């Protein structure tokens, strides 16, 4: 891209502040951390719910950025750069994308629907890439921001675009349509879910179809909900399993090895192809792709051979435990420039190790010459602080001198043969390769031998839940997130990193050791320690943790050390007991507390807090109100007498939901972040975060009269198929969950636990389930939920989550 700045001014109808008459731009950025930011970057300062791009302008000017699209000019920077002032920077970004799109004239496939957008996009990219230089949306960049950014990445070499667009309410799609300006439309599965944001299904479909207002053809599954709302004048190319009037009439049959034959009639001819999937969603997505290929006049032979190679689209970048204490990011399904950028960003965000290695195959379909492409890759590598590159492929071998520290091999096999001579330890390794390079073999040698039982943590769900609770807060109210007990069993560091990314204000842990380990791993957020033992004050100070002080004894100890270390204004927190009777100063101790602190500059009261005993229980509403009232009174007394104005906070998760009037200046979010609410209504709005998974070790069928497990506590009344799962009470599954009380989920069906839960294993009834050894088992997650388990086990979700043993591996994904 090379666009004169003055054109941008007119495209955006912006007011220019500074010199807009000269200069041109080559990049557009909205991310202050992007490695592209420089003299030819136009930076759009977007304002989001958690972030304001205007805050980074000073920093960006230092990095050399000279032109900004803003809604206001930050104070003191008026003369430091050129500003294009607009009302709304997001609208400006979209206007820019519309203009930029208009500079290109090649076919563009636009995809929308409720489900399957990203998969259809990735598959079409795979199916068409032998014949086109394709530009496509990275990952699922399909929002009001993602779509313009995707389009702005087009360059002169591309000759086909594939973009997805998603909307959550009315009046959004008409903004995306002129940006994508698709020529071929694909409507994927219209589900029944996600109707929030729309009055009804018809409205939802009507809104989605607005993406296709100007297409030359619309591919869709003929459906009585959709057909009537397609605007007249749009040419359709439809398929159906049931309606013979569709352009393509399709049937499917299941084959061995999880494959499916798709037979179709088109223009009075019958054909068939095979795909390596058997689930309904994949079949429908594959048919959407099939229709695009037919529309583009591909012959059946090509279609059949390419579709037989469709692969599972990896929607997540998975961090795995590698050999020699390495971390492994497995992205072994694709290699193109855009997804490389995303993967490198992700790699950069992993701050566990300084040392970073990239294992990269040849890159396909960039639309650039090899020199230019690998030159750009080399720049990215430097910008992302990657110390070592291992290139694999005949092309990358030729360009290895572009990188400072690069070993290259022509083939994956050569790398594997040399593996013993390469050292991998204490580093993060990104494995990124096109499918044909079979990098899964590299992942296999680098990965630590796998545990069969894992707790999968959905980081997106966590972000979602955080925002759900944030939305309940008045502006200015801060948020502390409790990550004690290893993030309620979900993983301390990874969750703390995500929270840091979301810029929460504080983290809370129970003991000093937990805080020290987070600080050691590079967490910079302030951390409050709920229950510091006096012996830990030294290390608390050394690691810049902030203790909660709740007794006079603790206060005196802390002050003694503060004196000894000659501290000034070291932050700490005062806990007062308002009725929980666990920790905290009582009313009659306040005079001594205040007396001791008066005039003391060694320490600084950062906040005053208390904890509620019954915020989750309407039966104790009056008691809860009384606690809040007492907190207000006692904390005010401290503030008045010490003449200070610290943060005040009393609400935990259920407090946030039930006592919105008592937010003071901060709240402490705990269990809600992890997707659990004490309120059944609210529970519906939260997303499940943790899924405990295992696999079937063995299956056997026993006759009536035989028993299962210790003590013969299950007796088969009839012939019973029994599956053994390698997870037991030593992993945190209560024995009370056995003997017919609890169940696991296999192939979406419930399998009741037979007999007693053993230390490392349990057995379940799979008589009615079509399953084989090695199949996945869900111990908890969507079903059963931890809430449901807690009820049956007469405990609370907190106990179940925090009981999952540390020997169960945690896997994080987005
Ligand atoms: C654990 C804890 C919280 C969070 O409670 P949730 O019910 O999980 O939201 C808040 N404050 C204190 C003092 C805690 O110990």
């Amino acid at each position: 891209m090379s666009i004169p700045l003055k054109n941008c001014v007119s495209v955006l109808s912006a007011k220019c502040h500074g010199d807009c008459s000269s200069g041109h731009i080559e990049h557009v950025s909205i991310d202050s951390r992007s490695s592209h930011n420089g003299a030819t970057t136009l930076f759009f300062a977007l304002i989001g719910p958690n972030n304001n791009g205007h805050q980074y302008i000073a920093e960006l000017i230092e990095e050399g950025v000279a032109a900004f699209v803003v809604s206001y000019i930050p104070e003191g920077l008026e003369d430091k750069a050129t500003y294009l002032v607009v009302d709304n920077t997001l609208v400006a970004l979209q206007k820019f994308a519309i203009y930029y799109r208009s500079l290109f004239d090649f076919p563009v496939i636009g995809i929308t629907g409720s489900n399957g957008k990203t998969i259809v996009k990735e598959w079409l990219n795979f199916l068409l890439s032998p014949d086109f230089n394709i530009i496509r949306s990275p990952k699922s960049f399909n929002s009001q921001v993602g779509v313009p950014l995707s389009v702005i990445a087009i360059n002169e070499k591309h000759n086909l675009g594939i973009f997805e667009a998603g909307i959550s309410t009315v009046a959004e799609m008409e903004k995306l349509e002129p940006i994508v300006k698709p020529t071929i439309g694909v409507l994927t599965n219209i589900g029944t879910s996600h109707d929030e944001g729309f009055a009804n299904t018809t409205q939802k479909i009507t809104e989605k179809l607005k993406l296709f207002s100007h297409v030359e053809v619309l591919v869709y599954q003929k459906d009585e909900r959709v057909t009537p709302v397609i605007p007249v004048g749009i040419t359709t190319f439809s398929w159906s399993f049931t309606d013979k009037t569709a352009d393509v009439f399709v049937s499917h049959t299941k084959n061995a090895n999880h494959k499916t034959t798709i037979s179709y009639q088109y223009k009075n001819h019958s054909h068939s192809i095979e795909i390596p999937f058997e689930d309904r969603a994949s079949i429908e997505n594959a048919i959407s792709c099939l229709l695009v290929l037919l529309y583009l006049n591909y012959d059946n032979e090509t279609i059949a051979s390419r579709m037989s190679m469709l692969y599972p689209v990896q929607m997540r970048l998975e961090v795995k435990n590698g050999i020699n204490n390495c971390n492994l990011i497995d992205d072994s399904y694709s290699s193109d420039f855009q997804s490389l950028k995303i993967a490198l960003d992700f790699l950069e965000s992993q701050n566990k190790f300084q040392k970073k290695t990239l294992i990269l195959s040849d890159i396909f379909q960039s639309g650039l010459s090899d020199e230019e492409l690998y030159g750009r890759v080399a720049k990215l590598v430097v910008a992302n602080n990657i110390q070592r590159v291992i290139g694999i492929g005949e092309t990358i071998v030729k360009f290895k001198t572009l990188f400072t520290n690069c070993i290259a091999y022509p083939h994956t096999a050569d790398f594997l043969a040399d593996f013993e001579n390469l050292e991998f330890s204490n580093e993060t390794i990104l494995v990124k390769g096109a499918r044909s390079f079979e990098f899964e073999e590299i992942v296999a040698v680098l990965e630590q031998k796998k545990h069969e039982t894992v707790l999968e943590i959905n980081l997106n769900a966590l972000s979602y839940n955080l925002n759900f609770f944030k939305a309940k807060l008045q502006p200015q109210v801060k948020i502390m997130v409790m990550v004690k007990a290893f993030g309620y069993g979900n993983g301390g560091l990874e969750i703390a990193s995500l929270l840091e990314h979301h810029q929460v204000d504080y983290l809370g842990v129970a003991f000093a050791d937990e805080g020290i380990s987070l600080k050691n791993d590079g967490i910079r957020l302030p951390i409050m320690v709920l229950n510091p033992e006096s012996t830990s004050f030294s290390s608390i100070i050394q690691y810049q943790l902030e203790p909660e002080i709740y007794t006079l004894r603790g206060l005196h100890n802390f002050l003694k050390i503060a004196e000894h270390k000659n501290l000034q204004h070291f932050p700490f927190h005062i806990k007062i007991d308002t009725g929980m009777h666990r920790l905290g100063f009582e009313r009659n101790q306040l005079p001594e507390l205040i007396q001791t602190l008066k005039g003391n500059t060694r320490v600084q009261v950062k906040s005053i807090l208390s904890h509620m005993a019954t915020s989750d229980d309407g039966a104790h509403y009056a008691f809860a109100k009384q606690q809040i009232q007492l907190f207000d009174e006692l904390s005010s007394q401290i503030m008045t007498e010490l003449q200070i104005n610290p943060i005040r906070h009393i609400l935990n998760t259920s407090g946030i939901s039930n006592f919105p009037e008592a937010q003071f200046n901060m709240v402490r979010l705990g269990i809600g972040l992890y997707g659990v609410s004490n309120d059944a209504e609210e529970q519906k709005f939260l997303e499940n975060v943790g899924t405990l998974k295992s696999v079937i070790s063995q299956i056997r069928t026993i006759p009536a009269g035989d028993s299962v497990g210790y003590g013969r506590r299950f007796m088969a009344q009839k012939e019973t198929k029994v599956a053994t799962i390698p997870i037991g009470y030593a992993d945190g599954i209560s024995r009370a969950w056995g003997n017919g009380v609890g169940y696991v989920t296999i192939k979406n069906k419930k399998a009741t636990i037979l007999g007693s839960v053993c230390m490392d294993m349990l057995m379940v009834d799979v008589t009615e389930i079509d399953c084989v050894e090695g199949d996945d088992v869900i111990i908890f997650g969507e079903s059963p939920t931890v809430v449901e388990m807690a009820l049956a086990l007469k405990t609370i979700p907190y106990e179940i989550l925090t009981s999952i043993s540390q020997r169960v591996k945690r896997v994080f994904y987005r």
Side-chain angles (χ1 to χ4, degrees), residues 139-314:
K139 289 279 153 180
S140 19
F141 265 38
N142 61 26
S143 65
Q144 296 287 316
V145 179
V147 170
L149 288 181
S150 306
V151 166
I152 290 169
I154 301 176
N155 71 38
E156 296 71 18
K157 306 283 171 42
H158 295 122
N159 56 16
L160 176 72
I162 311 180
F163 298 108
E164 59 176 297
I167 53 170
S168 50
T169 185
V170 295
E172 289 185 342
M173 196 60 98
E174 50 253 54
K175 297 189 200 140
L176 300 182
E177 191 276 334
I179 303 175
V180 178
K181 218 165 63 167
T183 52
I184 300 175
V186 178
L187 183 68
T188 62
N189 177 286
I190 285 284
T192 48
S193 60
H194 310 303
D195 269 354
E196 321 101 46
F198 299 97
N200 51 47
T201 309
T202 306
Q203 188 190 51
K204 178 176 71 172
I205 298 170
T206 310
E207 289 295 320
K208 287 187 193 283
L209 286 175
K210 289 187 179 161
L211 180 61
F212 307 128
S213 313
H214 301 102
V215 292
E216 60 185 47
V217 67
L218 167 61
V219 167
Y220 83 113
Q221 176 177 16
K222 214 163 187 183
D223 174 324
E224 66 249 18
R225 295 171 306 164
V226 179
T227 310
V229 287
I230 295 177
V232 278
I234 292 187
T235 308
T236 59
F237 187 43
S238 64
W239 65 273
S240 175
F241 291 131
T242 51
D243 184 345
K244 291 208 163 175
T245 66
D247 298 302
V248 183
F249 183 66
V250 192
S251 63
H252 60 96
T253 48
K254 212 179 220 182
N255 298 343
N257 302 327
H258 309 290
K259 293 184 180 181
T260 303
T261 296
I262 295 177
S263 306
Y264 61 96
Q265 282 170 31
Y266 174 49
K267 292 191 176 160
N268 297 324
H269 288 285
S270 298
H271 304 281
S272 67
I273 57 174
E274 188 178 64
I275 59 168
F277 293 93
E278 56 181 350
D279 63 288
R280 176 88 178 196
S282 298
I283 293 170
E284 292 189 4
N285 291 332
I287 296 170
S288 292
C289 296
L290 166 70
L291 262 78
V292 174
L293 296 187
L294 290 173
Y295 179 76
L296 294 174
N297 290 320
Y298 277 85
D299 60 77
N300 189 59
E301 217 172 298
T302 310
I303 294 177
S305 92
R306 290 189 189 172
M307 297 216 27
S308 70
M309 292 188 297
L310 288 180
Y311 58 93
V313 172
Q314 203 153 3

Side-chain angles (χ1 to χ4, degrees), residues 1 25-31 34 36-37 40-44 93 96 149 152:
M1 143 180 347
I25 60 159
E26 289 175 7
H27 305 286
V28 162
S29 169
I30 61 160
D31 184 352
S34 164
H36 272 314
N37 294 332
T40 54
T41 299
L42 181 61
F43 186 88
F44 284 75
L93 178 70
F96 183 85
L149 288 181
I152 290 169

Side-chain angles (χ1 to χ4, degrees), residues 482 484 488 530 575 582 611 652-653 668-671 798:
M482 308 310 291
K484 58 196 183 189
Y488 288 47
L530 287 172
K575 170 77 130 311
R582 188 169 72 175
H611 194 45
N652 66 340
T653 301
R668 300 187 303 272
L669 178 65
I671 194 94
Y798 299 72

Side-chain angles (χ1 to χ4, degrees), residues 538-557:
S538 270
S539 38
I540 284 192
I541 291 165
Q542 185 192 339
Y543 284 90
Q544 303 273 316
L545 301 168
E546 303 180 11
E548 169 187 296
I549 302 289
Y550 51 85
T551 58
L552 289 166
R553 187 177 63 90
L555 180 67
H556 290 302
N557 282 331

Side-chain angles (χ1 to χ4, degrees), residues 402-692:
L402 291 175
F403 302 89
T404 30
N405 180 11
C406 177
I407 321 167
Y409 304 91
H411 305 285
T412 304
D414 305 320
F415 165 85
L416 292 171
D418 200 28
F419 184 70
E420 294 299 321
N421 302 320
L422 294 165
E423 265 181 41
F424 295 97
S425 71
N426 296 303
E427 63 193 297
T428 307
I429 308 165
L430 169 63
V431 182
K432 175 112 189 94
R435 199 169 150 68
S436 55
F437 285 87
E438 299 182 336
F439 272 13
E440 55 272 19
E441 294 188 26
I442 295 180
V443 172
V445 292
L446 284 173
E447 195 177 6
Q448 209 179 43
K449 223 178 105 32
K450 229 193 199 154
H451 256 298
E452 292 176 323
T453 299
V454 295
L455 180 58
E456 282 191 356
I457 313 295
N458 180 346
L459 294 175
N460 281 353
L462 218 106
S463 305
Y464 176 90
N465 295 338
L466 174 67
N467 287 329
F468 174 82
F469 286 100
K470 265 191 174 172
K472 293 181 184 276
L473 305 184
Q474 277 126 43
Q476 311 308 330
V477 172
K478 295 178 190 297
I479 189 160
M480 172 185 287
V481 180
M482 308 310 291
V483 293
K484 58 196 183 189
F486 198 56
Y488 288 47
N490 292 282
L493 174 62
E494 291 75 5
I495 288 174
S497 303
L498 183 75
L499 293 168
E500 187 156 277
H501 171 78
H502 281 290
Q503 304 183 332
V504 306
D505 301 282
Y506 259 98
L507 297 178
V509 296
F511 300 108
D513 283 349
E514 299 176 294
I516 291 171
S517 123
L518 291 177
K519 289 278 179 179
N520 270 337
D521 283 328
I523 297 297
R524 289 172 303 252
L525 281 176
I527 300 176
M528 183 182 84
V529 181
L530 287 172
N531 196 354
E533 302 111 279
S534 291
T535 51
S536 64
F537 281 142
S538 270
S539 38
I540 284 192
I541 291 165
Q542 185 192 339
Y543 284 90
Q544 303 273 316
L545 301 168
E546 303 180 11
E548 169 187 296
I549 302 289
Y550 51 85
T551 58
L552 289 166
R553 187 177 63 90
L555 180 67
H556 290 302
N557 282 331
F558 179 51
L559 287 177
K560 220 184 287 163
I561 295 182
E563 186 76 39
H564 180 68
K565 296 203 182 236
N566 199 16
L567 302 179
Q568 285 301 321
H569 307 295
F570 195 90
F572 80 106
H573 305 259
I574 296 176
K575 170 77 130 311
I576 42 192
D577 180 12
T578 53
M580 172 84 174
H581 296 338
R582 188 169 72 175
L583 296 178
F585 292 96
E586 291 173 25
R587 184 197 285 273
N588 63 18
Q589 295 169 318
L590 293 196
E592 187 177 343
L593 170 72
I594 291 166
Q595 212 41 53
T596 313
L597 286 174
K598 219 169 227 168
N600 191 319
T601 58
R602 300 246 169 251
V603 296
Q604 178 199 0
V605 183
K606 199 75 201 186
S607 86
I608 304 175
L609 68 149
S610 188
H611 194 45
M612 295 172 75
T614 62
S615 63
D616 58 338
D617 188 351
H620 295 288
Y621 183 79
F623 180 79
K625 287 298 261 188
Q626 196 182 315
Q627 272 200 284
I628 293 169
Q629 161 61 31
L630 185 58
F631 174 63
D632 194 10
E633 184 191 327
L634 297 184
S635 56
S636 300
Q637 185 189 339
I638 300 174
M639 287 159 63
T640 317
E641 299 202 22
L642 289 178
Q643 297 194 4
I644 52 172
N645 194 14
I647 302 170
R648 292 194 292 168
H649 46 120
I650 188 170
L651 300 181
N652 66 340
T653 301
S654 40
I656 298 172
S657 304
N658 297 332
F659 299 92
E661 70 284 4
Q663 293 174 359
F664 294 93
N665 326 95
M666 184 155 83
V667 298
R668 300 187 303 272
L669 178 65
I671 194 94
L673 180 75
Y674 309 100
V676 175
S677 169
N678 296 99
D679 180 275
E681 252 328 289
E682 184 170 87
Q683 183 65 50
K684 292 186 197 154
F685 290 94
L686 298 182
E687 290 200 353
N688 182 55
V689 171
T691 302
L692 182 58

